mmCIF file of all heavy atoms in Angstrom:
data_model
loop_
_atom_site.group_PDB
_atom_site.id
_atom_site.type_symbol
_atom_site.label_atom_id
_atom_site.label_comp_id
_atom_site.label_asym_id
_atom_site.label_seq_id
_atom_site.Cartn_x
_atom_site.Cartn_y
_atom_site.Cartn_z
ATOM 1 N N ALA A 16 -3.819 -0.802 -5.974
ATOM 2 C CA ALA A 16 -2.946 -1.935 -6.295
ATOM 3 C C ALA A 16 -3.687 -3.215 -5.946
ATOM 4 O O ALA A 16 -4.730 -3.197 -5.278
ATOM 5 C CB ALA A 16 -1.627 -1.834 -5.534
ATOM 6 N N GLY A 17 -3.132 -4.337 -6.391
ATOM 7 C CA GLY A 17 -3.732 -5.637 -6.111
ATOM 8 C C GLY A 17 -2.997 -6.359 -4.993
ATOM 9 O O GLY A 17 -1.886 -5.982 -4.610
ATOM 10 N N ILE A 18 -3.599 -7.419 -4.497
ATOM 11 C CA ILE A 18 -3.003 -8.165 -3.396
ATOM 12 C C ILE A 18 -1.684 -8.809 -3.816
ATOM 13 O O ILE A 18 -0.778 -8.974 -2.985
ATOM 14 C CB ILE A 18 -3.994 -9.242 -2.861
ATOM 15 C CG1 ILE A 18 -3.444 -9.925 -1.615
ATOM 16 C CG2 ILE A 18 -4.338 -10.248 -3.954
ATOM 17 C CD1 ILE A 18 -3.176 -8.995 -0.458
ATOM 18 N N GLY A 19 -1.534 -9.121 -5.100
ATOM 19 C CA GLY A 19 -0.266 -9.693 -5.570
ATOM 20 C C GLY A 19 0.894 -8.752 -5.335
ATOM 21 O O GLY A 19 1.971 -9.165 -4.876
ATOM 22 N N THR A 20 0.683 -7.466 -5.628
ATOM 23 C CA THR A 20 1.712 -6.458 -5.393
ATOM 24 C C THR A 20 2.011 -6.322 -3.909
ATOM 25 O O THR A 20 3.171 -6.204 -3.494
ATOM 26 C CB THR A 20 1.264 -5.096 -5.969
ATOM 27 O OG1 THR A 20 1.098 -5.226 -7.385
ATOM 28 C CG2 THR A 20 2.276 -4.012 -5.675
ATOM 29 N N VAL A 21 0.963 -6.337 -3.086
ATOM 30 C CA VAL A 21 1.137 -6.195 -1.639
ATOM 31 C C VAL A 21 1.943 -7.370 -1.072
ATOM 32 O O VAL A 21 2.874 -7.181 -0.277
ATOM 33 C CB VAL A 21 -0.232 -6.087 -0.940
ATOM 34 C CG1 VAL A 21 -0.064 -6.111 0.577
ATOM 35 C CG2 VAL A 21 -0.956 -4.821 -1.380
ATOM 36 N N LEU A 22 1.604 -8.591 -1.467
ATOM 37 C CA LEU A 22 2.303 -9.774 -0.954
ATOM 38 C C LEU A 22 3.744 -9.842 -1.451
ATOM 39 O O LEU A 22 4.639 -10.279 -0.730
ATOM 40 C CB LEU A 22 1.549 -11.044 -1.364
ATOM 41 C CG LEU A 22 0.147 -11.212 -0.759
ATOM 42 C CD1 LEU A 22 -0.532 -12.452 -1.330
ATOM 43 C CD2 LEU A 22 0.214 -11.285 0.765
ATOM 44 N N ALA A 23 3.987 -9.386 -2.679
ATOM 45 C CA ALA A 23 5.331 -9.482 -3.255
ATOM 46 C C ALA A 23 6.268 -8.395 -2.746
ATOM 47 O O ALA A 23 7.451 -8.645 -2.487
ATOM 48 C CB ALA A 23 5.247 -9.421 -4.782
ATOM 49 N N ASP A 24 5.746 -7.169 -2.585
ATOM 50 C CA ASP A 24 6.619 -6.021 -2.319
ATOM 51 C C ASP A 24 6.435 -5.374 -0.949
ATOM 52 O O ASP A 24 7.279 -4.568 -0.547
ATOM 53 C CB ASP A 24 6.394 -4.937 -3.387
ATOM 54 C CG ASP A 24 6.685 -5.425 -4.793
ATOM 55 O OD1 ASP A 24 7.466 -6.382 -4.937
ATOM 56 O OD2 ASP A 24 6.114 -4.847 -5.750
ATOM 57 N N ASP A 25 5.349 -5.670 -0.249
ATOM 58 C CA ASP A 25 5.027 -5.003 1.018
ATOM 59 C C ASP A 25 5.206 -3.485 0.891
ATOM 60 O O ASP A 25 5.959 -2.856 1.640
ATOM 61 C CB ASP A 25 5.902 -5.545 2.152
ATOM 62 C CG ASP A 25 5.445 -5.049 3.527
ATOM 63 O OD1 ASP A 25 4.248 -4.723 3.670
ATOM 64 O OD2 ASP A 25 6.285 -4.964 4.446
ATOM 65 N N PRO A 26 4.497 -2.847 -0.060
ATOM 66 C CA PRO A 26 4.704 -1.417 -0.314
ATOM 67 C C PRO A 26 3.970 -0.535 0.691
ATOM 68 O O PRO A 26 3.069 -0.986 1.408
ATOM 69 C CB PRO A 26 4.100 -1.242 -1.703
ATOM 70 C CG PRO A 26 2.967 -2.224 -1.709
ATOM 71 C CD PRO A 26 3.440 -3.418 -0.910
ATOM 72 N N MET A 27 4.355 0.738 0.722
ATOM 73 C CA MET A 27 3.628 1.728 1.512
ATOM 74 C C MET A 27 2.573 2.445 0.666
ATOM 75 O O MET A 27 1.541 2.871 1.170
ATOM 76 C CB MET A 27 4.595 2.765 2.089
ATOM 77 C CG MET A 27 5.276 2.318 3.370
ATOM 78 S SD MET A 27 4.150 2.308 4.786
ATOM 79 C CE MET A 27 3.988 4.067 5.097
ATOM 80 N N LEU A 28 2.865 2.629 -0.627
ATOM 81 C CA LEU A 28 1.969 3.330 -1.554
ATOM 82 C C LEU A 28 1.654 4.752 -1.080
ATOM 83 O O LEU A 28 0.541 5.241 -1.230
ATOM 84 C CB LEU A 28 0.671 2.538 -1.766
ATOM 85 C CG LEU A 28 0.824 1.130 -2.355
ATOM 86 C CD1 LEU A 28 -0.535 0.455 -2.475
ATOM 87 C CD2 LEU A 28 1.523 1.171 -3.713
ATOM 88 N N ASN A 29 2.654 5.400 -0.528
ATOM 89 C CA ASN A 29 2.499 6.783 -0.081
ATOM 90 C C ASN A 29 3.393 7.690 -0.913
ATOM 91 O O ASN A 29 4.021 7.257 -1.872
ATOM 92 C CB ASN A 29 2.836 6.898 1.406
ATOM 93 C CG ASN A 29 4.294 6.591 1.698
ATOM 94 O OD1 ASN A 29 4.949 5.866 0.941
ATOM 95 N ND2 ASN A 29 4.818 7.108 2.784
ATOM 96 N N VAL A 30 3.450 8.958 -0.546
ATOM 97 C CA VAL A 30 4.343 9.921 -1.200
ATOM 98 C C VAL A 30 5.508 10.183 -0.267
ATOM 99 O O VAL A 30 5.320 10.478 0.909
ATOM 100 C CB VAL A 30 3.604 11.227 -1.534
ATOM 101 C CG1 VAL A 30 4.583 12.304 -1.980
ATOM 102 C CG2 VAL A 30 2.575 10.986 -2.627
ATOM 103 N N ARG A 31 6.707 10.101 -0.811
ATOM 104 C CA ARG A 31 7.913 10.235 0.012
ATOM 105 C C ARG A 31 8.608 11.587 -0.191
ATOM 106 O O ARG A 31 9.759 11.742 0.193
ATOM 107 C CB ARG A 31 8.879 9.086 -0.296
ATOM 108 C CG ARG A 31 8.301 7.722 0.039
ATOM 109 C CD ARG A 31 9.280 6.588 -0.205
ATOM 110 N NE ARG A 31 9.542 6.363 -1.612
ATOM 111 C CZ ARG A 31 8.769 5.590 -2.389
ATOM 112 N NH1 ARG A 31 7.699 4.997 -1.882
ATOM 113 N NH2 ARG A 31 9.078 5.402 -3.656
ATOM 114 N N MET A 32 7.906 12.551 -0.789
ATOM 115 C CA MET A 32 8.479 13.868 -1.034
ATOM 116 C C MET A 32 7.908 14.865 -0.023
ATOM 117 O O MET A 32 6.691 14.918 0.197
ATOM 118 C CB MET A 32 8.161 14.336 -2.457
ATOM 119 C CG MET A 32 8.621 13.360 -3.549
ATOM 120 S SD MET A 32 10.403 13.127 -3.599
ATOM 121 C CE MET A 32 10.911 14.739 -4.181
ATOM 122 N N GLU A 33 8.773 15.652 0.577
ATOM 123 C CA GLU A 33 8.374 16.641 1.580
ATOM 124 C C GLU A 33 7.412 17.665 0.986
ATOM 125 O O GLU A 33 7.637 18.198 -0.102
ATOM 126 C CB GLU A 33 9.614 17.357 2.124
ATOM 127 C CG GLU A 33 9.349 18.262 3.307
ATOM 128 C CD GLU A 33 9.002 17.511 4.574
ATOM 129 O OE1 GLU A 33 9.457 16.354 4.727
ATOM 130 O OE2 GLU A 33 8.281 18.089 5.407
ATOM 131 N N GLY A 34 6.301 17.917 1.688
ATOM 132 C CA GLY A 34 5.361 18.943 1.268
ATOM 133 C C GLY A 34 4.279 18.472 0.317
ATOM 134 O O GLY A 34 3.384 19.253 -0.038
ATOM 135 N N TRP A 35 4.327 17.218 -0.113
ATOM 136 C CA TRP A 35 3.296 16.669 -0.994
ATOM 137 C C TRP A 35 2.382 15.765 -0.194
ATOM 138 O O TRP A 35 2.791 15.177 0.812
ATOM 139 C CB TRP A 35 3.920 15.894 -2.147
ATOM 140 C CG TRP A 35 4.619 16.760 -3.154
ATOM 141 C CD1 TRP A 35 4.672 18.125 -3.160
ATOM 142 C CD2 TRP A 35 5.358 16.326 -4.297
ATOM 143 N NE1 TRP A 35 5.406 18.568 -4.236
ATOM 144 C CE2 TRP A 35 5.843 17.481 -4.953
ATOM 145 C CE3 TRP A 35 5.670 15.091 -4.834
ATOM 146 C CZ2 TRP A 35 6.605 17.433 -6.113
ATOM 147 C CZ3 TRP A 35 6.433 15.034 -5.995
ATOM 148 C CH2 TRP A 35 6.889 16.189 -6.635
ATOM 149 N N LYS A 36 1.147 15.620 -0.634
ATOM 150 C CA LYS A 36 0.188 14.793 0.086
ATOM 151 C C LYS A 36 0.191 13.363 -0.456
ATOM 152 O O LYS A 36 0.475 13.125 -1.631
ATOM 153 C CB LYS A 36 -1.219 15.381 0.002
ATOM 154 C CG LYS A 36 -1.792 15.414 -1.403
ATOM 155 C CD LYS A 36 -3.229 15.885 -1.386
ATOM 156 C CE LYS A 36 -3.814 15.904 -2.788
ATOM 157 N NZ LYS A 36 -3.788 14.605 -3.465
ATOM 158 N N SER A 37 -0.142 12.425 0.399
ATOM 159 C CA SER A 37 -0.249 11.020 -0.003
ATOM 160 C C SER A 37 -1.688 10.695 -0.393
ATOM 161 O O SER A 37 -2.632 11.252 0.170
ATOM 162 C CB SER A 37 0.204 10.097 1.133
ATOM 163 O OG SER A 37 1.610 10.154 1.302
ATOM 164 N N PRO A 38 -1.861 9.786 -1.339
ATOM 165 C CA PRO A 38 -3.212 9.439 -1.794
ATOM 166 C C PRO A 38 -3.906 8.454 -0.855
ATOM 167 O O PRO A 38 -3.268 7.818 -0.005
ATOM 168 C CB PRO A 38 -2.945 8.779 -3.153
ATOM 169 C CG PRO A 38 -1.590 8.154 -2.989
ATOM 170 C CD PRO A 38 -0.811 9.077 -2.090
ATOM 171 N N ILE A 39 -5.206 8.347 -1.023
ATOM 172 C CA ILE A 39 -5.969 7.292 -0.345
ATOM 173 C C ILE A 39 -5.568 5.960 -0.973
ATOM 174 O O ILE A 39 -5.544 5.817 -2.199
ATOM 175 C CB ILE A 39 -7.480 7.530 -0.516
ATOM 176 C CG1 ILE A 39 -7.869 8.863 0.124
ATOM 177 C CG2 ILE A 39 -8.292 6.382 0.072
ATOM 178 C CD1 ILE A 39 -9.263 9.333 -0.263
ATOM 179 N N ARG A 40 -5.251 4.977 -0.151
ATOM 180 C CA ARG A 40 -4.774 3.690 -0.665
ATOM 181 C C ARG A 40 -5.952 2.725 -0.809
ATOM 182 O O ARG A 40 -6.733 2.529 0.125
ATOM 183 C CB ARG A 40 -3.708 3.122 0.261
ATOM 184 C CG ARG A 40 -2.528 4.075 0.417
ATOM 185 C CD ARG A 40 -1.485 3.580 1.381
ATOM 186 N NE ARG A 40 -2.020 3.336 2.718
ATOM 187 C CZ ARG A 40 -1.278 2.962 3.748
ATOM 188 N NH1 ARG A 40 0.029 2.810 3.609
ATOM 189 N NH2 ARG A 40 -1.827 2.759 4.925
ATOM 190 N N ILE A 41 -6.057 2.127 -1.985
ATOM 191 C CA ILE A 41 -7.159 1.219 -2.307
ATOM 192 C C ILE A 41 -6.563 -0.112 -2.754
ATOM 193 O O ILE A 41 -5.765 -0.155 -3.700
ATOM 194 C CB ILE A 41 -8.051 1.809 -3.424
ATOM 195 C CG1 ILE A 41 -8.570 3.196 -3.008
ATOM 196 C CG2 ILE A 41 -9.194 0.872 -3.767
ATOM 197 C CD1 ILE A 41 -8.799 4.135 -4.148
ATOM 198 N N LEU A 42 -6.922 -1.188 -2.081
ATOM 199 C CA LEU A 42 -6.376 -2.506 -2.388
ATOM 200 C C LEU A 42 -7.485 -3.434 -2.858
ATOM 201 O O LEU A 42 -8.555 -3.494 -2.246
ATOM 202 C CB LEU A 42 -5.692 -3.122 -1.161
ATOM 203 C CG LEU A 42 -4.335 -2.551 -0.719
ATOM 204 C CD1 LEU A 42 -3.338 -2.593 -1.857
ATOM 205 C CD2 LEU A 42 -4.450 -1.192 -0.105
ATOM 206 N N CYS A 43 -7.230 -4.161 -3.939
ATOM 207 C CA CYS A 43 -8.158 -5.182 -4.426
ATOM 208 C C CYS A 43 -7.671 -6.538 -3.919
ATOM 209 O O CYS A 43 -6.590 -7.003 -4.307
ATOM 210 C CB CYS A 43 -8.215 -5.162 -5.947
ATOM 211 S SG CYS A 43 -8.918 -3.644 -6.617
ATOM 212 N N ASP A 44 -8.459 -7.157 -3.063
ATOM 213 C CA ASP A 44 -8.032 -8.371 -2.358
ATOM 214 C C ASP A 44 -9.249 -9.273 -2.152
ATOM 215 O O ASP A 44 -9.875 -9.268 -1.085
ATOM 216 C CB ASP A 44 -7.403 -7.970 -1.018
ATOM 217 C CG ASP A 44 -6.897 -9.143 -0.202
ATOM 218 O OD1 ASP A 44 -6.879 -10.274 -0.723
ATOM 219 O OD2 ASP A 44 -6.528 -8.922 0.966
ATOM 220 N N SER A 45 -9.594 -10.038 -3.178
ATOM 221 C CA SER A 45 -10.832 -10.826 -3.169
ATOM 222 C C SER A 45 -10.971 -11.687 -1.921
ATOM 223 O O SER A 45 -12.037 -11.750 -1.312
ATOM 224 C CB SER A 45 -10.902 -11.707 -4.425
ATOM 225 O OG SER A 45 -10.966 -10.908 -5.583
ATOM 226 N N GLY A 46 -9.892 -12.369 -1.528
ATOM 227 C CA GLY A 46 -9.949 -13.296 -0.396
ATOM 228 C C GLY A 46 -9.522 -12.698 0.924
ATOM 229 O O GLY A 46 -9.394 -13.419 1.920
ATOM 230 N N LEU A 47 -9.301 -11.398 0.963
ATOM 231 C CA LEU A 47 -8.859 -10.684 2.166
ATOM 232 C C LEU A 47 -7.605 -11.333 2.768
ATOM 233 O O LEU A 47 -7.536 -11.652 3.953
ATOM 234 C CB LEU A 47 -9.991 -10.628 3.196
ATOM 235 C CG LEU A 47 -10.099 -9.329 4.017
ATOM 236 C CD1 LEU A 47 -10.271 -8.114 3.117
ATOM 237 C CD2 LEU A 47 -11.253 -9.399 4.999
ATOM 238 N N ARG A 48 -6.593 -11.460 1.909
ATOM 239 C CA ARG A 48 -5.333 -12.087 2.328
ATOM 240 C C ARG A 48 -4.312 -11.070 2.829
ATOM 241 O O ARG A 48 -3.195 -11.439 3.190
ATOM 242 C CB ARG A 48 -4.726 -12.862 1.149
ATOM 243 C CG ARG A 48 -5.543 -14.068 0.706
ATOM 244 C CD ARG A 48 -4.808 -14.825 -0.397
ATOM 245 N NE ARG A 48 -4.750 -14.071 -1.639
ATOM 246 C CZ ARG A 48 -3.787 -14.205 -2.556
ATOM 247 N NH1 ARG A 48 -2.768 -15.025 -2.332
ATOM 248 N NH2 ARG A 48 -3.830 -13.495 -3.673
ATOM 249 N N ILE A 49 -4.656 -9.805 2.866
ATOM 250 C CA ILE A 49 -3.700 -8.766 3.231
ATOM 251 C C ILE A 49 -3.101 -9.050 4.609
ATOM 252 O O ILE A 49 -3.820 -9.300 5.575
ATOM 253 C CB ILE A 49 -4.371 -7.371 3.185
ATOM 254 C CG1 ILE A 49 -3.340 -6.268 3.405
ATOM 255 C CG2 ILE A 49 -5.537 -7.274 4.162
ATOM 256 C CD1 ILE A 49 -3.872 -4.877 3.100
ATOM 257 N N PRO A 50 -1.774 -9.033 4.733
ATOM 258 C CA PRO A 50 -1.139 -9.342 6.027
ATOM 259 C C PRO A 50 -1.383 -8.245 7.063
ATOM 260 O O PRO A 50 -1.253 -7.053 6.776
ATOM 261 C CB PRO A 50 0.354 -9.425 5.670
ATOM 262 C CG PRO A 50 0.419 -9.551 4.181
ATOM 263 C CD PRO A 50 -0.787 -8.835 3.663
ATOM 264 N N LEU A 51 -1.712 -8.651 8.262
ATOM 265 C CA LEU A 51 -1.933 -7.688 9.339
ATOM 266 C C LEU A 51 -0.641 -7.019 9.784
ATOM 267 O O LEU A 51 -0.672 -5.926 10.360
ATOM 268 C CB LEU A 51 -2.593 -8.384 10.533
ATOM 269 C CG LEU A 51 -4.011 -8.921 10.291
ATOM 270 C CD1 LEU A 51 -4.503 -9.667 11.524
ATOM 271 C CD2 LEU A 51 -4.976 -7.802 9.922
ATOM 272 N N ASP A 52 0.497 -7.673 9.527
ATOM 273 C CA ASP A 52 1.780 -7.104 9.939
ATOM 274 C C ASP A 52 2.511 -6.408 8.799
ATOM 275 O O ASP A 52 3.678 -6.044 8.922
ATOM 276 C CB ASP A 52 2.678 -8.190 10.550
ATOM 277 C CG ASP A 52 2.988 -9.312 9.561
ATOM 278 O OD1 ASP A 52 2.379 -9.336 8.464
ATOM 279 O OD2 ASP A 52 3.836 -10.165 9.886
ATOM 280 N N GLY A 53 1.815 -6.190 7.676
ATOM 281 C CA GLY A 53 2.427 -5.497 6.543
ATOM 282 C C GLY A 53 2.380 -3.990 6.720
ATOM 283 O O GLY A 53 1.644 -3.456 7.562
ATOM 284 N N GLN A 54 3.151 -3.279 5.893
ATOM 285 C CA GLN A 54 3.239 -1.828 6.018
ATOM 286 C C GLN A 54 1.901 -1.129 5.780
ATOM 287 O O GLN A 54 1.592 -0.127 6.435
ATOM 288 C CB GLN A 54 4.281 -1.280 5.039
ATOM 289 C CG GLN A 54 5.714 -1.649 5.369
ATOM 290 C CD GLN A 54 6.693 -0.772 4.607
ATOM 291 O OE1 GLN A 54 7.179 0.238 5.114
ATOM 292 N NE2 GLN A 54 6.981 -1.161 3.365
#
């Protein structure tokens, strides 16, 4: 996902179903604006 999605939605980008695995999360953030207190 992009930094716009992260800033707008504060997502987890994980899997919420029991018994399934979550993916590796990859963020595109040119200016490294990702919040340290975000999910």
Side-chain angles (χ1 to χ4, degrees):
I18 186 60
T20 298
V21 173
L22 295 176
D24 300 336
D25 190 26
M27 277 288 286
L28 300 179
N29 65 335
V30 170
R31 298 183 290 275
M32 304 297 291
E33 188 70 28
W35 290 356
K36 64 175 181 59
S37 288
I39 298 167
R40 302 177 302 184
I41 304 150
L42 287 304
C43 294
D44 181 8
S45 296
L47 217 58
R48 294 184 291 153
I49 187 169
L51 295 176
D52 61 351
Q54 291 196 95

